Structures are given as structure tokens and as C-alpha cells.
Amino acid sequence: ALQLAAGGLPDAPGAQVALHELVLDCACDGEAVQVLAARCSVGAPPLLRVARPLHKIDRLLHPERIGIVGASASGMNFGRIILRNLLGSGCPPERLCVIRPGGGEIDGVACIENLAAIEGKLDLLIVAVAADAVYPLVDEIIAASTVEAVMLIPGGLGETAKSREPAAALAARINAAHAHGDGGPIFLGANCLGVVSHPGRYDSWFIPLERLPKPPKAPERRAVMLSQSGAFMITRLSHNPWLDPRYMIAMGNQTDLTHGDLLSWFATRDDVDSIGIYVEGFRDLDGLAFARAVRRAVLAGKQVVVYKSGRSEAGQAGVMGHTASIAGEPVLFASVLAQAGATVTDDVELFDDLFYMAGTLHAKRIGGDRLAAASGAGFEAVSAADASVGETFAMRMATLSADTIARIEAVLAEKKLAALVEVRNPLDMNPGADDDAHVRITAAMADDPGVDAVVVGLDPTAPMVRALEQSRLRPGYDLADPESTVHTLPPLVARTDKPIVAVVDAGRLYDAMAAGLMDHGVCVFRNVARGTRALVCHVEARLEAERLRRHFGRG
């Protein structure tokens, strides 16, 4: 049955027939699955799209010359906001031009009469005009042959019943252009927010920078976010700027470039470690291309975290109205991508947590499933143990070595806490533990050869912890103190090859403590159960990825 499926792939070159349906009747005896019966149907292979010139994605993400159509000279429309964002993100005016009859300049950027008047070629053209103006403009772009990549910002191109037929015809014309010459321009969108490319030194989102600043949170950005929904990326980044992607790409309707295209391009890049993806649906056959790209990315050592929307019938209808995609069956989607090596979730918070954790813990070694947990707050220690059991995978509470127990006991004795604490895992180290006790006990656990990962609650409200920006009761006993955990925990996290998850479970008064740790590369959560659950999923995914790499000879 599997050989039949592999031999009848719908995108096999030169195939005369393709497998349309394969149904297996299976039984499980508790250890193995047996196929009792199978039936299939075959037919003519589907018409395949012309291969997109994917090498031009480099022009899209690292353009030297950028043009924009639709920037108002007098008002603040989307095109003008994009122009301001391009300039505000460090893109110099000489790299830019505005396509607009009449010449002159807007915001110091020169205007060019039309596409035919462009000297040479633009790497990227951003189109921010009304939907009805897009159709003739795309034909003009293809005919002029002066643009390598195009970003279609407008909506209304396939999301409504009225627009689906003309939008499909537009996609067909773009597809036909790929069969000639150098493949013609590639198109991102339509109905897309745009691109933020830090290596390309530009931000083309139509959200003003003052509403969504993107400060660097890591020495080198090594994550990518791909999303059909621009709003999904905006909200994720606004909630957690430490996600800090290198590239953020809104794909919209996939009129031309698809999930599979973009993930294929990123799958083997050396400057990317983790990829977060929001999927509403696929173009025909792109789900297969996407799954293959996931496998390539995982075999190349990357982590792929996928959020899938459109679980319910109402959600699937919403997907069709938002980006005109086929949502697909959620269980099948999750199963196929999990086998390809992705971590798949339909929970937005868990996506945030896993994508963030993929970035902060990518360089750490996942040696196994043995967890150690400690906190000055007893409930946190217990909660970490409770949360170590996930739906499909569980971490074991590690047995601490005699040497580790002795090290912890020495710390407790020095802090005059020995009479109050019995060393065990999980460990309640008592609210009297100070910053030094938290860090040294964490170090003892991380150094234990029988421990694979550590969760530590930092107990910020405890009086002995330097957790305030400024203390009125004890001036100087605050975050600026070199003995504060903000200064002493990051070196430990940097030197160990094991994952350490720190928890700052307290209100807004302690945001500065959490931010200070995160700014220095510490994986921080504001709730111990949430952090531990994310760690369990992360460890499960990393162990499965290692298994795949060993199986395919890439580990």
C-alpha cells in the first residue's frame, strides 16, 4: 500500500495516472498496526503549476532597489505608511523610488513616471493600490519585465465570491509568465501585510513603527516567522518581542508564492535555526510540498513550529473568507506534519511558547527526559512536577546524585535554611532563599549527570530576592545590585549545555526582572505550569527530530 502511494504521487514528473484515494482498514494489537484490507482509486494526474523561480526569493528578502506603487503625496494611506516604515527601518532614500506620474518626490524619495521608465530592474516592487487596480497593474508588471519580485498588499483578490474568478485568472496569468524567459517576477500575497527583513534592512509592514517597534533582543536573530495572517504576526510580536525573528513574512492568499515555496527556501539556510508558521490552508498539492520542506528543515537541524487554524466548520469558512485557502482536515494535517518532524499545535499560547523556546533553547543539548525543579515557592515546585506529564509525552523527575544533594545541602546550611528544607526533587527551597541560593542550587541540578533539564522558580516577591527596579525599604538591594539574579543567572545559562527555564511568576512590578533576564538570553516564563508544559513539548519534539536525523543518516 505504501509503495502504491509513493508510486502514484500526483506531482510525479511524466506520470500518466495518479493515486486519487487510498483507504486502509487497520487493526492494532497494542504493539503494531496491521492492514486487514486496502482499496484505492486512480485517475488522471492534476495539472501542475509552473515551477516558480524560487531563487528570486533572495531578491524579495534582500533587495537593493525597492519601488512602491500607491504612496499618497498628500495623505497617510497604506502606501505612504509603508514608505515611512521603509525609511524608518534604515532603508536609505537612494534605494527607493515611488512609481507615480508627474515626477517630483515624496518624503525625499524620487518619483518615477511609470514602470517602463525604470532603468535596469527593481529587485522588489510593493503594490499598495485598490484591488480593482491590481489586475491591469500585474499585467503591466509582467509585460514591462523590470521587476524581480512583487509584494501585493491589497485584499479583495479571492476572499469573496465575486472576486474568486478574476483572482484565479490573475493567478493563472502569473503562473503562465513563469514558463518564459527567466521565469518572470515572483509575487507575494495578495492580501498580505508585507515583509520585515532585518538582513535586507527593510520593514514594509503598513503598521507604523511607533505602534510596533522591533528592537533587537538577541545578538543575532536566527528565527523566521511565516504567516498567512499579518495580524497573527503583529499580535504575537507585540505580546513577546523576544520572539525576535530575522524575517517576518505575511503570505496572504498565496496567489503565487506558497507555504511550500517559502519553507523550501528557508529549509537549508545556515542563518536560520527555528521557523514558526501560521497556516490557514494550502493551494492544491502544496501541502505535500510543505511536508517535504518540513522534513528537509528538520534534517538540517532546524525546529519547525506550526499553528494550524480552521479546526471547526465555522473556522474553515472563516479561512475561505480571509485568505481563500482550503483549510484541510486538522487531524490528518497534524499527523502528517508531526511525522515530517514539525511541532504542531492549535493553541495560540502554546505556539508562542514553543516558538520562543525553540529560539532560546536551540543551542542546548537535549540528552533525555529527566527533569529537576526547584523554587522558593512550594506550590511552584509541585506545579512543575504536575506539568511534567503531557498529552503524548512525559518527563521524569530525576533522581539527584549524592554529590548534587551534598552541594544543595551546603547552600541551605550556609543560608541557615537546612533545618527547614529536605532536599528532594522537586525542591521547595523556602521563601528565605536569596538570589545566590537560587542560582547555586540551579547550578548543582544542571551539573548533575542524571538531570537533562531544570525548571527554577525565582520567587520574585520573596523579601530576600533582589527583584525590584528600586527598593525603598532596602536601597540598593534591587536589580542593579551585581548579586541580583538578573546578573548572576545568565552566565550559568550560557555555560551549561542543558536547558534551564526560569519562572518569574508575579505581576507588572516584576516585568523589569523578567525583561532583564530575557534580554540576556535566559528562557523566562511567567507561570511555572505553562513553562514546564512548553518544555515537555519542546523536549518531545527535539528527541523526535534527533530520531529522524539518525534514521535518515543526518544526525
Side-chain angles (χ1 to χ4, degrees), residues 231-300:
F232 180 84
M233 289 195 294
I234 291 168
T235 53
R236 306 283 55 80
L237 191 64
S238 181
H239 281 299
N240 190 352
W242 288 271
L243 292 175
D244 202 22
R246 188 179 186 87
Y247 304 93
M248 290 174 277
I249 304 171
M251 300 166 56
N253 290 356
Q254 303 177 90
T255 300
D256 188 34
L257 290 178
T258 64
H259 284 295
D261 292 336
L262 287 162
L263 186 56
S264 293
W265 193 83
F266 282 114
T268 56
R269 285 189 65 88
D270 293 336
D271 59 352
V272 171
D273 293 333
S274 54
I275 305 171
I277 308 169
Y278 168 81
V279 175
E280 291 186 352
F282 295 110
R283 292 303 185 192
D284 287 347
L285 297 182
D286 194 56
L288 178 60
F290 182 75
R292 288 169 173 163
V294 167
R295 174 62 60 82
R296 286 197 299 274
V298 171
L299 294 182

Coordinates of all heavy atoms in Angstrom, one line a residue, residues 231-300:
A231 N -2.1 39.9 10.9 CA -2.5 40.2 12.3 C -1.9 39.2 13.3 O -1.6 39.5 14.5 CB -4.0 40.3 12.4
F232 N -1.8 37.9 12.9 CA -1.3 36.9 13.8 C 0.2 37.3 14.2 O 0.5 37.2 15.3 CB -1.3 35.5 13.0 CG -0.7 34.4 13.9 CD1 -1.5 33.7 14.8 CD2 0.6 34.0 13.7 CE1 -1.0 32.7 15.5 CE2 1.1 32.9 14.5 CZ 0.3 32.3 15.4
M233 N 1.0 37.7 13.2 CA 2.4 38.0 13.5 C 2.4 39.3 14.4 O 3.2 39.4 15.3 CB 3.1 38.3 12.2 CG 3.4 37.0 11.4 SD 4.7 37.2 10.2 CE 3.9 38.3 9.1
I234 N 1.6 40.3 14.1 CA 1.6 41.5 14.8 C 1.3 41.2 16.3 O 2.0 41.7 17.2 CB 0.5 42.5 14.3 CG1 1.0 43.0 12.9 CG2 0.3 43.7 15.2 CD1 -0.2 43.7 12.2
T235 N 0.2 40.5 16.6 CA -0.1 40.2 18.0 C 0.9 39.4 18.7 O 1.2 39.6 19.8 CB -1.5 39.5 18.1 OG1 -1.5 38.4 17.2 CG2 -2.6 40.5 17.6
R236 N 1.5 38.4 18.0 CA 2.5 37.5 18.6 C 3.7 38.4 19.0 O 4.2 38.3 20.1 CB 3.0 36.4 17.7 CG 1.9 35.6 17.1 CD 1.3 34.5 18.0 NE 0.8 34.9 19.3 CZ -0.4 35.5 19.5 NH1 -1.2 35.7 18.5 NH2 -0.8 35.8 20.7
L237 N 4.2 39.2 18.1 CA 5.4 40.0 18.3 C 5.1 41.1 19.4 O 6.0 41.4 20.2 CB 5.8 40.7 17.0 CG 7.2 41.3 17.1 CD1 8.3 40.3 17.3 CD2 7.5 42.1 15.7
S238 N 3.9 41.7 19.4 CA 3.5 42.7 20.4 C 3.5 42.1 21.8 O 4.0 42.7 22.7 CB 2.2 43.3 20.0 OG 1.8 44.3 21.0
H239 N 3.0 40.9 21.9 CA 3.0 40.2 23.2 C 4.4 39.8 23.7 O 4.7 39.9 24.9 CB 2.1 39.0 23.2 CG 0.6 39.3 23.3 ND1 0.1 39.9 24.3 CD2 -0.4 39.0 22.4 CE1 -1.2 40.0 24.1 NE2 -1.5 39.5 23.0
N240 N 5.2 39.4 22.7 CA 6.5 38.9 23.1 C 7.6 39.3 22.1 O 7.9 38.6 21.1 CB 6.5 37.3 23.2 CG 7.8 36.8 23.8 OD1 8.7 37.5 24.0 ND2 7.7 35.5 24.1
P241 N 8.2 40.5 22.2 CA 9.2 40.9 21.3 C 10.5 40.0 21.3 O 11.3 40.1 20.4 CB 9.5 42.4 21.7 CG 9.1 42.4 23.2 CD 7.9 41.5 23.3
W242 N 10.6 39.2 22.3 CA 11.7 38.3 22.4 C 11.6 37.1 21.4 O 12.6 36.3 21.3 CB 11.9 37.8 23.8 CG 12.4 38.8 24.8 CD1 13.7 39.1 25.0 CD2 11.7 39.7 25.5 NE1 13.8 40.2 25.9 CE2 12.5 40.6 26.2 CE3 10.3 39.9 25.7 CZ2 12.1 41.6 27.1 CZ3 9.9 40.9 26.5 CH2 10.8 41.7 27.2
L243 N 10.5 37.0 20.7 CA 10.5 36.1 19.6 C 11.5 36.5 18.5 O 12.1 35.6 17.9 CB 9.1 36.0 19.0 CG 7.9 35.5 19.8 CD1 6.6 35.6 19.1 CD2 8.2 34.0 20.2
D244 N 11.6 37.8 18.3 CA 12.8 38.4 17.6 C 13.1 37.7 16.3 O 14.3 37.3 16.1 CB 14.0 38.4 18.5 CG 15.0 39.5 18.1 OD1 14.6 40.4 17.5 OD2 16.2 39.3 18.5
P245 N 12.2 37.5 15.3 CA 12.5 36.8 14.1 C 13.5 37.7 13.2 O 13.4 38.9 13.2 CB 11.2 36.6 13.4 CG 10.2 36.8 14.4 CD 10.7 37.8 15.4
R246 N 14.3 36.9 12.5 CA 15.2 37.5 11.5 C 14.4 38.0 10.3 O 14.6 39.1 9.7 CB 16.2 36.4 11.0 CG 17.3 36.9 10.1 CD 18.2 35.7 9.8 NE 19.4 36.0 9.1 CZ 20.6 36.5 9.6 NH1 20.6 36.6 11.0 NH2 21.6 36.8 8.9
Y247 N 13.4 37.2 9.9 CA 12.5 37.5 8.8 C 11.1 37.3 9.3 O 10.8 36.3 10.0 CB 12.7 36.7 7.6 CG 14.1 36.7 7.0 CD1 15.0 35.7 7.4 CD2 14.5 37.6 6.0 CE1 16.3 35.6 6.8 CE2 15.8 37.6 5.5 CZ 16.7 36.6 5.9 OH 17.9 36.5 5.4
M248 N 10.1 38.2 8.9 CA 8.7 38.0 9.2 C 8.0 38.3 7.8 O 8.0 39.4 7.3 CB 8.2 39.0 10.2 CG 8.7 38.6 11.6 SD 8.3 39.8 12.9 CE 9.6 41.0 12.6
I249 N 7.3 37.2 7.4 CA 6.7 37.3 6.0 C 5.3 36.9 6.1 O 4.9 35.9 6.5 CB 7.4 36.3 5.1 CG1 9.0 36.6 5.0 CG2 6.9 36.4 3.7 CD1 9.8 35.5 4.3
A250 N 4.4 37.9 5.6 CA 3.0 37.6 5.5 C 2.7 37.2 4.1 O 3.0 37.8 3.2 CB 2.2 38.9 5.9
M251 N 2.0 36.0 4.0 CA 1.9 35.4 2.7 C 0.5 35.7 2.1 O 0.3 35.5 0.9 CB 2.1 33.9 2.9 CG 3.4 33.5 3.4 SD 3.5 31.8 3.9 CE 3.0 31.0 2.4
G252 N -0.5 36.0 2.9 CA -1.8 36.3 2.3 C -2.4 35.2 1.6 O -2.4 34.0 2.0
N253 N -2.9 35.4 0.4 CA -3.7 34.5 -0.4 C -2.9 33.5 -1.2 O -3.5 32.6 -1.8 CB -4.5 35.2 -1.5 CG -5.6 36.0 -0.8 OD1 -5.8 36.0 0.4 ND2 -6.4 36.8 -1.6
Q254 N -1.6 33.5 -1.2 CA -0.7 32.6 -1.9 C -1.1 32.6 -3.4 O -1.2 31.5 -4.0 CB -0.8 31.2 -1.4 CG -0.4 31.1 0.1 CD -0.6 29.7 0.7 OE1 0.3 28.9 0.6 NE2 -1.8 29.4 1.2
T255 N -1.3 33.8 -4.0 CA -1.6 33.9 -5.4 C -0.5 33.3 -6.2 O -0.7 32.6 -7.3 CB -1.8 35.4 -5.8 OG1 -2.9 35.9 -5.0 CG2 -2.1 35.5 -7.3
D256 N 0.7 33.4 -5.7 CA 1.9 32.8 -6.4 C 2.8 32.0 -5.5 O 2.7 30.8 -5.4 CB 2.7 33.9 -7.1 CG 3.8 33.4 -8.0 OD1 3.6 32.4 -8.6 OD2 4.8 34.1 -8.1
L257 N 3.5 32.7 -4.6 CA 4.4 32.0 -3.7 C 3.5 31.3 -2.6 O 2.6 31.9 -2.1 CB 5.3 33.0 -3.0 CG 6.5 33.6 -3.9 CD1 7.3 34.6 -3.1 CD2 7.4 32.4 -4.4
T258 N 3.9 30.1 -2.2 CA 3.1 29.3 -1.3 C 3.9 29.0 0.0 O 5.1 29.3 0.1 CB 2.7 28.0 -1.9 OG1 3.9 27.2 -2.2 CG2 2.0 28.2 -3.2
H259 N 3.2 28.4 0.9 CA 3.9 27.9 2.1 C 5.1 27.0 1.7 O 6.2 27.1 2.3 CB 2.9 27.0 3.0 CG 1.9 27.8 3.7 ND1 2.3 28.7 4.8 CD2 0.6 27.9 3.6 CE1 1.2 29.2 5.3 NE2 0.1 28.7 4.6
G260 N 4.8 26.1 0.8 CA 5.9 25.1 0.5 C 7.1 25.8 -0.2 O 8.2 25.5 0.1
D261 N 6.8 26.8 -1.0 CA 7.9 27.6 -1.7 C 8.8 28.3 -0.6 O 10.0 28.1 -0.7 CB 7.3 28.7 -2.6 CG 6.6 28.1 -3.8 OD1 6.9 27.0 -4.2 OD2 5.7 28.8 -4.3
L262 N 8.2 29.0 0.3 CA 9.0 29.8 1.2 C 9.7 28.9 2.2 O 10.9 29.1 2.6 CB 8.1 30.8 1.9 CG 7.7 32.0 1.1 CD1 6.5 32.7 1.6 CD2 8.9 33.0 0.9
L263 N 9.0 27.9 2.7 CA 9.7 27.0 3.6 C 10.8 26.2 3.0 O 11.9 26.0 3.6 CB 8.7 26.0 4.3 CG 9.2 25.1 5.4 CD1 9.9 25.9 6.5 CD2 8.2 24.2 5.9
S264 N 10.6 25.8 1.7 CA 11.7 25.2 0.9 C 12.9 26.1 0.9 O 14.1 25.6 1.0 CB 11.2 24.8 -0.5 OG 10.2 23.8 -0.4
W265 N 12.7 27.4 0.7 CA 13.8 28.3 0.6 C 14.6 28.4 1.9 O 15.8 28.5 1.9 CB 13.3 29.7 0.1 CG 14.4 30.6 -0.4 CD1 15.0 30.6 -1.6 CD2 15.1 31.6 0.4 NE1 16.0 31.6 -1.6 CE2 16.1 32.2 -0.4 CE3 14.9 32.1 1.7 CZ2 16.9 33.3 0.0 CZ3 15.7 33.1 2.1 CH2 16.7 33.7 1.3
F266 N 13.9 28.4 3.0 CA 14.5 28.6 4.3 C 15.0 27.3 4.9 O 15.8 27.3 5.8 CB 13.5 29.2 5.3 CG 13.3 30.6 5.2 CD1 12.0 31.1 4.8 CD2 14.3 31.5 5.4 CE1 11.8 32.5 4.6 CE2 14.1 32.9 5.3 CZ 12.9 33.4 4.9
A267 N 14.6 26.1 4.3 CA 14.9 24.8 5.0 C 16.3 24.6 5.2 O 16.7 23.9 6.2 CB 14.2 23.7 4.2
T268 N 17.2 25.0 4.3 CA 18.6 24.6 4.5 C 19.5 25.9 4.7 O 20.7 25.7 4.5 CB 19.1 23.9 3.2 OG1 18.8 24.6 2.0 CG2 18.4 22.5 3.1
R269 N 18.9 27.0 5.0 CA 19.8 28.2 5.2 C 20.5 28.1 6.5 O 20.0 27.8 7.6 CB 18.9 29.4 5.2 CG 18.5 29.8 3.7 CD 17.8 31.2 3.7 NE 18.7 32.3 4.1 CZ 19.5 32.9 3.2 NH1 19.5 32.6 2.0 NH2 20.3 33.9 3.7
D270 N 21.8 28.4 6.5 CA 22.6 28.3 7.7 C 22.3 29.4 8.7 O 22.8 29.3 9.9 CB 24.1 28.4 7.3 CG 24.6 27.2 6.5 OD1 23.9 26.1 6.7 OD2 25.5 27.3 5.8
D271 N 21.7 30.5 8.3 CA 21.4 31.6 9.2 C 20.1 31.5 9.9 O 19.7 32.5 10.6 CB 21.5 33.0 8.4 CG 20.5 33.1 7.3 OD1 19.9 32.0 7.0 OD2 20.4 34.2 6.7
V272 N 19.4 30.4 9.8 CA 18.1 30.2 10.4 C 18.2 28.9 11.3 O 18.6 27.9 10.8 CB 17.0 30.1 9.4 CG1 15.7 29.6 10.0 CG2 16.9 31.4 8.6
D273 N 17.7 29.0 12.5 CA 17.6 27.9 13.4 C 16.2 27.4 13.7 O 16.0 26.2 13.9 CB 18.2 28.2 14.8 CG 19.7 28.4 14.7 OD1 20.4 27.8 13.8 OD2 20.3 29.2 15.6
S274 N 15.2 28.3 13.8 CA 13.9 28.0 14.1 C 12.9 28.7 13.2 O 13.1 29.9 12.8 CB 13.6 28.3 15.6 OG 13.9 29.6 15.9
I275 N 11.8 28.0 12.9 CA 10.8 28.6 11.9 C 9.4 28.4 12.6 O 9.0 27.3 12.9 CB 10.9 27.9 10.6 CG1 12.3 27.9 10.0 CG2 9.9 28.5 9.6 CD1 12.5 27.1 8.8
G276 N 8.7 29.5 12.7 CA 7.3 29.5 13.2 C 6.4 29.8 12.1 O 6.6 30.8 11.4
I277 N 5.3 29.0 12.0 CA 4.4 29.1 10.8 C 3.0 29.1 11.2 O 2.5 28.2 12.0 CB 4.7 28.0 9.8 CG1 6.2 27.9 9.5 CG2 3.9 28.2 8.5 CD1 6.6 26.6 8.7
Y278 N 2.2 30.1 10.7 CA 0.7 30.1 10.9 C 0.1 29.7 9.5 O 0.3 30.3 8.5 CB 0.3 31.5 11.3 CG -1.2 31.7 11.2 CD1 -2.1 31.2 12.2 CD2 -1.8 32.2 10.1 CE1 -3.4 31.4 12.2 CE2 -3.2 32.4 10.0 CZ -4.0 32.0 11.1 OH -5.4 32.1 11.0
V279 N -0.6 28.6 9.6 CA -1.2 28.0 8.4 C -2.8 28.1 8.5 O -3.3 27.6 9.5 CB -0.8 26.6 8.1 CG1 -1.5 25.9 6.9 CG2 0.7 26.5 7.9
E280 N -3.4 28.6 7.5 CA -4.8 28.5 7.3 C -5.2 27.4 6.4 O -6.1 26.6 6.6 CB -5.4 29.8 6.9 CG -5.3 30.9 8.0 CD -6.0 32.2 7.7 OE1 -6.5 32.4 6.5 OE2 -6.2 33.1 8.6
G281 N -4.5 27.4 5.2 CA -4.8 26.3 4.3 C -3.7 26.3 3.1 O -2.9 27.2 3.1
F282 N -3.9 25.4 2.2 CA -2.9 25.2 1.2 C -3.5 25.4 -0.2 O -4.7 25.1 -0.4 CB -2.2 23.8 1.2 CG -1.4 23.6 2.5 CD1 -1.9 22.7 3.4 CD2 -0.2 24.2 2.7 CE1 -1.1 22.4 4.6 CE2 0.5 24.0 3.8 CZ 0.1 23.1 4.8
R283 N -2.7 25.8 -1.2 CA -3.1 25.6 -2.6 C -2.9 24.1 -2.9 O -2.3 23.4 -2.2 CB -2.1 26.4 -3.5 CG -2.3 27.9 -3.3 CD -3.7 28.4 -3.6 NE -3.9 29.8 -3.6 CZ -5.1 30.4 -3.6 NH1 -6.2 29.7 -3.6 NH2 -5.2 31.7 -3.5
D284 N -3.6 23.7 -4.0 CA -3.5 22.3 -4.4 C -2.1 21.8 -4.5 O -1.2 22.4 -5.1 CB -4.2 22.1 -5.8 CG -5.7 22.3 -5.7 OD1 -6.3 22.3 -4.6 OD2 -6.4 22.4 -6.8
L285 N -1.9 20.6 -3.9 CA -0.6 19.9 -3.8 C 0.4 20.6 -3.0 O 1.5 20.0 -2.8 CB -0.1 19.6 -5.2 CG -1.0 18.8 -6.1 CD1 -0.2 18.6 -7.5 CD2 -1.3 17.5 -5.5
D286 N 0.2 21.8 -2.5 CA 1.2 22.5 -1.7 C 1.4 21.9 -0.3 O 2.4 22.0 0.3 CB 1.0 24.0 -1.6 CG 2.2 24.7 -1.1 OD1 3.3 24.6 -1.8 OD2 2.1 25.4 -0.1
G287 N 0.4 21.2 0.2 CA 0.5 20.5 1.5 C 1.6 19.5 1.4 O 2.4 19.3 2.3
L288 N 1.7 18.7 0.3 CA 2.7 17.7 0.1 C 4.1 18.4 0.0 O 5.1 18.0 0.7 CB 2.5 16.9 -1.2 CG 3.5 15.9 -1.6 CD1 3.6 14.8 -0.5 CD2 3.1 15.2 -2.9
A289 N 4.2 19.5 -0.7 CA 5.5 20.2 -0.8 C 5.9 20.8 0.5 O 7.1 20.8 0.9 CB 5.3 21.4 -1.9
F290 N 4.9 21.3 1.3 CA 5.2 21.8 2.6 C 5.7 20.7 3.5 O 6.7 21.0 4.3 CB 3.9 22.4 3.2 CG 4.1 23.1 4.5 CD1 4.7 24.3 4.6 CD2 3.6 22.5 5.6 CE1 4.8 25.0 5.8 CE2 3.7 23.1 6.9 CZ 4.3 24.3 7.0
A291 N 5.1 19.6 3.6 CA 5.5 18.5 4.4 C 7.0 18.1 4.1 O 7.8 17.8 4.9 CB 4.6 17.3 4.3
R292 N 7.3 18.0 2.8 CA 8.6 17.7 2.4 C 9.6 18.7 2.8 O 10.7 18.4 3.3 CB 8.7 17.6 0.8 CG 8.0 16.3 0.3 CD 7.9 16.4 -1.2 NE 7.4 15.2 -1.9 CZ 6.9 15.2 -3.1 NH1 6.8 16.3 -3.8 NH2 6.4 14.0 -3.6
A293 N 9.2 20.0 2.8 CA 10.1 21.1 3.2 C 10.3 21.0 4.7 O 11.4 21.3 5.2 CB 9.5 22.4 2.8
V294 N 9.3 20.7 5.5 CA 9.4 20.5 6.9 C 10.5 19.4 7.2 O 11.4 19.6 8.0 CB 8.1 20.1 7.6 CG1 8.3 19.6 9.0 CG2 7.1 21.2 7.6
R295 N 10.4 18.3 6.5 CA 11.4 17.2 6.7 C 12.8 17.7 6.4 O 13.7 17.4 7.1 CB 11.0 16.0 5.9 CG 12.0 14.9 5.9 CD 12.2 14.2 7.2 NE 11.0 13.7 7.8 CZ 10.5 12.5 7.6 NH1 11.0 11.7 6.7 NH2 9.4 12.1 8.2
R296 N 12.9 18.4 5.3 CA 14.3 18.9 4.9 C 14.8 19.9 6.0 O 16.0 19.8 6.4 CB 14.2 19.6 3.6 CG 14.1 18.7 2.4 CD 14.5 19.4 1.1 NE 13.7 20.5 0.8 CZ 12.5 20.4 0.2 NH1 12.1 19.2 -0.2 NH2 11.8 21.5 -0.1
A297 N 13.9 20.7 6.5 CA 14.4 21.7 7.5 C 14.8 20.9 8.8 O 15.8 21.3 9.4 CB 13.2 22.7 7.8
V298 N 14.0 20.0 9.2 CA 14.3 19.2 10.5 C 15.6 18.4 10.3 O 16.5 18.4 11.2 CB 13.1 18.3 10.8 CG1 13.5 17.3 12.0 CG2 11.9 19.1 11.2
L299 N 15.8 17.8 9.1 CA 17.0 17.1 8.9 C 18.2 18.0 8.9 O 19.4 17.6 9.1 CB 16.9 16.3 7.6 CG 15.9 15.1 7.6 CD1 15.9 14.4 6.2 CD2 16.1 14.1 8.7
A300 N 18.0 19.3 8.5 CA 19.1 20.2 8.5 C 19.3 20.8 9.9 O 20.1 21.7 10.0 CB 18.8 21.3 7.5

